[in-house]
Each structure stands twice: as structure tokens, then as C-alpha cells.
Amino acid sequence: MFNFFDVAYYNQSSVCTFFVASCYFVLLSGYICSSKLVPVSQYLGTILICLLGVACLRGWGRWKNPEYLQFISILEENKRNHSPENKRKLRCFTFDFPHWPQDFSWREVSSPKLTKAGVSLLKPEPKLRGTADSILYSVRTLPCHIIGYLVAHTFGRRMLYPGSVGLLQKAMKPMLMQGQAKLIEEYDGQRNKLVACDGNEIDTMFVDRRRDGGHNGKTLVICCEGNAGFYEVGCMNTPLDAGYSVLGWNHPGFGDSTGVPFPQNEANAMDVVIQFAVHKLGFQLNDIIVYAWSIGGFTATWAVMSYPEIQSLVLDASFDDLLPLALKVMPESWRPLVQYTVRRYVNLNNAEQLLKYQGPVLLIRRSRDEIITTGGPEDIMSNRGNDLLLKLLQSRYPKIMTDEGIRVVKQWLGASNQLEEASVYSGYEVDDGWCVSVLQSYQADRDVLFPWSVGEDMTQEGRRQLALFLARKYMRNFESTHCTPLPASEFHSPWKL
């Protein structure tokens, strides 16, 4: 049984709004004067009596509704004793999230990653300038700073995260309610409210498969949604269909999560989600896979950078850096402003964060992606997922990814379907068994931390083979557009030796 109640018995905002609107109308109409004061007071008194009557009728209706009385009783009991049994009863209802009891707070654990603003982020390196030059530069660029701030905090943030726009959320509300009900009724999902270090309340959904007996159920997949994605209807379904335990969460400002989705708030939310998974749900970091779609790659790469013990990372239809994609959709004359605004306020530096991680990684590239390409859907070489792969391989295997290695990998990336990929791969006569033996031998004899110097004393042919072998292990192609849901059959644990 899944019921919806609007818990507004604490909330009088509708009455206040109506009262303010009425006063504004009266002032504009010139009704407030000595000769008209009595009629106006009668008018306002009538309205207040009507509102009071409506409130009384609503209260009477709720008092006579046994289901509502049961719901109130369960809610109040949860506030006194937030036990698993009481929480299980509360899951039968959905209501205004501000009244949902808190399930976990960042204060319950001590995190060394917290700074004054929250968790730490990678910052762009400042340009070194003399004192006088720095003051002059600051004065000269002040208009750009002001405009950049206004752009980022008005239409810029909404363009980047359209899921935070209230109008879109209202349009999607029935679909989100239906998706949430499905997760609770069919998958026995557990809804939880987490409080991040910045005070934002994060709406999450957890599906526990550990008791099902399957191998995948012992692994938790934490899902990071796209810029218009919600856990109710987002990428959670892919690992769910594959039999994993899954924890989904909504960005700050999405659905019932509070706040706005700026990078600092995003990282703060991801931090409390991981802390909740470890300290409340009982998963070890090496039992967690982080799975992200599109812009969710930012929080996912931050997570594995900050918690390197995480088992692995899967990035679907993600990119290396926001700036090239932002420049694509803005006028060329705005380039300096766009560069400043992105780097200062929405610096989604996925590749930079990813390179700090030592664990297994799988990149999934959409062959007809129309969103993260700087050219068009047909220009597969402009897909920013290619740049993410190249940067990762160059960082981990610099001796293999020489100019020749980069050339053959780009040739493989230029293949638009599986037949062309196989043709490039076989054309260089890649011996998978030999590649594995070379990498395993290097791993056994030396320090396993990246970067590796494997390929240093190797022929060009050997380096070409290793470059193509590694590219195919780190990236899989999925022939679809950006927003097509990823089938469970395409969700795999990343390759590791």
C-alpha cells in the first residue's frame, strides 16, 4: 500500500501568500483611505473567515479519515523512536520531504575531508602575478567577475542542470511518484533522508539484494544521475536489473533534495552518500562500485579520487571537462566570459579527478551521442569520452601512449561500429594473450601504482598492440544516442589484471 498525503498541517504558506496578494491588490486599487477603510476591513474579514472555514473543513476531514490518522500516528512515533520497524511502516506513505525523519547526518562520523565550505575540491592553479599587477588585473576584470557570477547563478546553472528547474519537476511529478512507488513496492526500496555538511537534505533510495543469495547482490552500486535525471526514473534501473544492491540519490535541488547543484554542494552530497553506505548500510569501500551517467561523472570521479579504496568506477556517456562543451553552445565572442565562469563556478573537471584514482575503470561511449560531442552525433571523433580515455591511458601508461600509441588508439576510436572496431584491431594483429602476459609480468616485478613504465624497452609493434588492447579494455562502445537507457547486459565490472 502506497499512499500520498500532503503534510501541510504545519505549513501555512498558502494562507500567507494569499493574504499578501490580497493586500497588494488593495494597495494598487487605492482602497486604503479613511472613507474606504471600513469596507476594506469587511472585505478582509470575510476572506479570513472563509480561509478559517476551509482550514476547519480540512481538519475535520482529516480527523474523520482513519488512514490519515494512522499515518499521523506512525509519523509521530517515528519522530520519537526511529526504529527499523517504525520506519518500515512509514515507507507505506509518501509526503512532503521536509517532514521526513532524518536517517543519517554527516555529524555521525568524523570526516577528515571536510573544510570550511565542505569537502575538498581540486582547484585551478592560480596564475602568479606581482602585487601591483595583480591589483590592476583584479580591477580590470571586475566586470567579468560580476557578470560571471550573475550568469552562473541565474540561467547558467539552470542550463547546466535543467532537472533543478521547478517547472520541469512539476511536469515530471506524476512520473517521479510512479517510479518511487515501483522501487518501494516491487524492489522493497528503502527511502532515506541524509543531511550533508552544508545542511542540504539529500533524498536517497536503497535496494538491498544481499539476502537474495546472488553474487552481485553483495556489491553496492552507487548511482550518480545526469543533469535531468532522478533516481526514480534514472540509471538505477540498469544495475537493479543486473542483480546488484543499489543506492540512488538526487542532486541538490532535484526532486525532494534541497539546495542547488553547484560543484561544492554536489561533492558534499556525494560524501554523505558514501558515508551512509559505509556506516549505516554496512558496506565496505571495496564492495562499492560507483556508476555515473553523463554529468554524474563529476561526483563519481570525485568519489573515487577521495575514497581510493572504492572497488571500481563505471562512467557512461561522460566527458573529460565541461569547458569545451560550454564553448560549443555559447557565442565565440563570449569565450573569455565562458572560460572564467566555468572555471570559477562550475568547474566539472572529470578527467583531472579521475587521474587521481588507481582502481579499475570502465568508460562506455555512445556511438551516436548528440550531447557530449563538440561537432555533432555523426562526428564520433568529437565525442569528449575519447579525450577522457586518452588522458587516462596517457596518465597510466605513458611509455605505451607515445605518438604512435595515440595514433592507433585514435584510429580505433574513429570506428563507428563493432565491425570497424574489429577490423582496426585485427589489422594490427593484436595478441591478447601476449598483452596480458606482459602486463602481468610487469605487475608482479614492480610497484603496482600508476603510472607504469611498461613498454619502455619495446618495439613500436609491441606498443601498438598494448595501446589497442588497453583501449578496448578501458572503453566499450554502445551503439545508441545519449539518453537511451543502458541495458543490464551492457553493465559490466571494469577489467582488471
Side-chain angles (χ1 to χ4, degrees):
M1 182 180 179
F2 193 75
N3 297 321
F4 176 78
F5 288 115
D6 177 18
V7 183
Y9 61 102
Y10 295 124
N11 189 354
Q12 303 300 325
S13 60
S14 58
V15 177
C16 294
T17 302
F18 188 83
F19 179 74
V20 170
S22 300
C23 292
Y24 183 68
F25 172 76
V26 168
L27 286 171
L28 287 181
S29 303
Y31 286 133
I32 300 216
C33 61
S34 57
S35 61
K36 297 179 179 179
L37 189 58
V38 173
V40 169
S41 61
Q42 291 175 345
Y43 167 74
L44 293 176
T46 304
I47 292 176
L48 290 174
I49 291 171
C50 290
L51 290 175
L52 181 62
V54 169
C56 291
L57 286 173
R58 185 177 66 174
W60 182 81
R62 287 174 172 176
W63 179 61
K64 300 296 289 183
N65 186 336
E67 285 188 355
Y68 188 83
L69 292 177
Q70 180 190 18
F71 159 68
I72 292 297
S73 174
I74 293 172
L75 179 62
E76 294 299 331
E77 181 62 27
N78 259 275
K79 291 181 178 181
R80 289 191 296 268
N81 179 19
H82 198 43
S83 65
E85 178 62 23
N86 286 336
K87 186 176 175 182
R88 185 188 62 79
K89 294 178 183 177
L90 191 63
R91 282 164 49 196
C92 296
F93 305 91
T94 185
F95 50 95
D96 283 357
F97 198 61
H99 305 291
W100 187 278
Q102 175 184 304
D103 296 287
F104 183 80
S105 170
W106 68 280
R107 296 182 184 276
E108 296 181 29
V109 294
S110 57
S111 176
K113 298 174 177 61
L114 293 182
T115 63
K116 246 183 165 181
V119 297
S120 58
L121 296 176
L122 293 179
K123 302 291 184 182
E125 293 186 6
K127 297 179 180 178
L128 298 177
R129 299 177 182 273
T131 305
D133 188 30
S134 178
I135 294 173
L136 180 62
Y137 177 80
S138 299
V139 171
R140 193 172 56 193
T141 57
L142 182 61
C144 183
H145 294 181
I146 295 172
I147 296 172
Y149 177 88
L150 294 174
V151 167
H153 288 80
T154 53
F155 68 87
R157 188 256 297 173
R158 291 167 176 80
M159 285 178 63
L160 187 59
Y161 288 96
S164 65
V165 177
L167 190 61
L168 176 63
Q169 294 189 36
K170 286 184 179 179
M172 294 185 65
K173 188 67 175 179
M175 188 188 306
L176 298 180
M177 292 294 300
Q178 185 178 4
Q180 189 181 103
K182 179 182 177 181
L183 289 169
I184 292 174
E185 294 176 353
E186 297 184 16
Y187 294 99
D188 195 28
Q190 303 169 25
R191 193 182 187 195
N192 297 281
K193 177 196 282 189
L194 316 184
V195 179
C197 60
D198 51 17
N200 287 335
E201 298 174 347
I202 307 303
D203 186 12
T204 69
M205 182 68 70
F206 171 57
V207 177
D208 194 351
R209 295 281 183 77
R210 286 173 288 189
R211 297 180 182 177
D212 295 353
H215 175 71
N216 287 350
K218 298 175 182 178
T219 301
L220 176 68
V221 177
I222 298 179
C223 299
C224 304
E225 300 290 347
N227 66 353
F230 303 80
Y231 73 69
E232 294 91 338
V233 291
C235 64
M236 257 189 88
N237 290 308
T238 297
L240 273 179
D241 293 342
Y244 289 91
S245 295
V246 182
L247 176 59
W249 60 282
N250 280 334
H251 298 281
F254 281 52
D256 287 320
S257 293
T258 62
V260 288
F262 282 111
Q264 184 65 63
N265 297 345
E266 289 275 289
N268 293 341
M270 187 68 193
D271 183 66
V272 77
V273 167
I274 294 174
Q275 296 286 357
F276 172 71
V278 173
H279 296 281
K280 199 79 169 184
L281 302 181
F283 287 92
Q284 300 297 316
L285 286 173
N286 56 15
D287 292 328
I288 295 175
I289 297 174
V290 179
Y291 167 49
W293 174 61
S294 191
I295 209 169
F298 172 74
T299 47
T301 53
W302 179 88
V304 296
M305 173 187 72
S306 303
Y307 294 90
E309 302 90 350
I310 285 175
Q311 182 188 124
S312 57
L313 172 68
V314 179
L315 295 178
D316 177 18
S318 198
F319 51 88
D320 62 323
D321 187 11
L322 177 65
L323 184 58
L325 299 172
L327 290 171
K328 177 188 76 169
V329 298
M330 302 303 287
E332 178 63 26
S333 58
W334 288 30
R335 175 178 285 268
L337 177 62
V338 173
Q339 288 176 330
Y340 171 78
T341 304
V342 168
R343 289 291 178 244
R344 179 68 179 81
Y345 298 107
V346 285
N347 189 28
L348 305 186
N349 50 346
N350 298 354
E352 189 179 0
Q353 295 183 149
L354 178 59
L355 300 188
K356 306 289 185 182
Y357 179 56
Q358 293 280 327
V361 177
L362 173 63
L363 308 178
I364 300 173
R365 182 182 69 165
R366 307 298 183 101
S367 60
R368 299 192 302 275
D369 201 309
E370 72 283 15
I371 303 297
I372 64 165
T373 52
T374 53
E378 68 287 344
D379 184 9
I380 196 169
M381 285 306 295
S382 70
N383 188 309
R384 297 304 300 187
N386 300 338
D387 301 85
L388 189 57
L389 173 67
L390 289 170
K391 289 176 181 178
L392 180 61
L393 293 181
Q394 286 178 277
S395 172
R396 293 190 170 192
Y397 311 98
K399 304 301 180 182
I400 294 173
M401 295 302 292
T402 57
D403 291 343
E404 183 63 15
I406 294 172
R407 185 189 67 79
V408 297
V409 170
K410 283 185 175 180
Q411 185 180 348
W412 179 79
L413 289 171
S416 57
N417 55 57
Q418 293 182 352
L419 286 177
E420 290 183 16
E421 281 183 37
S423 175
V424 173
Y425 201 76
S426 60
Y428 285 98
E429 300 180 347
V430 180
D431 184 342
D432 289 0
W434 176 81
C435 292
V436 170
S437 66
V438 168
L439 294 171
Q440 286 179 338
S441 175
Y442 179 91
Q443 185 184 48
D445 296 341
R446 298 170 180 82
D447 189 355
V448 296
L449 292 179
F450 296 112
W452 287 6
S453 59
V454 61
E456 190 171 17
D457 301 321
M458 193 175 288
T459 63
Q460 286 276 49
E461 181 187 355
R463 283 198 286 266
R464 282 195 292 263
Q465 286 195 47
L466 283 172
L468 285 172
F469 173 81
L470 290 167
R472 197 164 74 159
K473 291 299 182 183
Y474 276 88
M475 176 176 277
R476 290 176 180 266
N477 265 322
F478 177 45
E479 295 186 21
S480 75
T481 56
H482 186 80
C483 295
T484 304
L486 187 72
S489 59
E490 295 291 330
F491 184 85
H492 306 281
S493 294
W495 169 80
K496 57 183 177 181
L497 280 173

